[in-house]
């Protein structure tokens, strides 16, 4: 299964470690991390996944694959800016939202449009998101609902 992990590009140390733990658990369970390929939650989730031997895909807003964070195995350059958010969501079977601002909120909305199960951890409170307390809970939820 592919799990899209979405969240803020500017994060606290706590959020950074939460995202890394989430990516690690996703990989340990045999799933692939899909993200926006840049920093913050995206980089941390990929770092965690790589530490567990997992695979990562970064769907970039820019037209340069070299812009991907160092933990992305497969960078996909789009040149679409925030328009790439739909591709991040569509390329996952489920979504885990961690923290985030407006860009994350747009991805949450697209997740609902594309009928992806969404687990949230310290993110926006929106109908349709399963609020979770731990990275383990988020992964268990998306596995159950996908």
């Amino acid at each position: 299964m592919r799990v899209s992990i979405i969240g803020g590009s500017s994060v606290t140390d706590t959020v950074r470690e939460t995202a890394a733990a989430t990516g690690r658990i996703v990989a340990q369970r045999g799933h692939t991390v899909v993200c926006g390929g840049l920093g913050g939650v995206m980089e941390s989730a990929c770092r965690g996944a790589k530490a567990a031997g997992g695979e990562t895909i970064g769907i970039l807003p820019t037209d340069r694959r070299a812009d991907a964070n160092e933990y992305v195995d497969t960078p996909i350059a789009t040149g679409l800016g925030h328009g790439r958010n739909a591709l991040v969501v569509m390329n996952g079977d489920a979504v885990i939202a961690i923290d985030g601002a407006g860009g994350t909120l747009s991805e949450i909305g697209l997740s609902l449009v594309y009928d992806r199960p969404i687990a949230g951890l310290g993110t926006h409170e929106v109908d349709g998101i399963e609020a979770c307390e731990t990275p383990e809970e988020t992964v268990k939820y998306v596995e159950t609902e996908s």
Side-chain angles (χ1 to χ4, degrees), residues 29-145:
R29 303 290 291 253
H31 310 303
T32 298
V33 168
V34 177
C35 69
L38 298 177
V41 165
M42 299 167 278
E43 181 174 9
S44 296
C46 288
R47 178 172 49 86
K50 294 309 299 170
E55 179 185 2
T56 61
I57 300 169
I59 301 177
L60 300 159
T62 65
D63 61 358
R64 294 173 20 119
R65 291 190 312 263
D67 290 342
N69 72 65
E70 66 182 290
Y71 305 103
V72 170
D73 293 317
T74 306
I76 299 171
T78 68
L80 296 173
H82 287 288
R84 71 72 152 88
N85 291 358
L87 298 175
V88 172
V89 168
M90 291 169 56
N91 282 281
D93 301 299
V95 176
I96 296 174
I98 303 169
D99 191 51
T104 304
L105 185 57
S106 75
E107 290 171 315
I108 289 168
L110 290 163
S111 300
L112 295 169
V113 168
Y114 291 109
D115 201 28
R116 299 301 195 265
I118 314 166
L121 193 57
T123 193
H124 304 276
E125 293 182 19
V126 175
D127 288 344
I129 297 178
E130 179 69 19
C132 297
E133 298 294 322
T134 66
E136 293 84 2
E137 286 180 28
T138 64
V139 177
K140 182 177 179 181
Y141 176 78
V142 297
E143 286 178 327
T144 302
E145 296 299 314

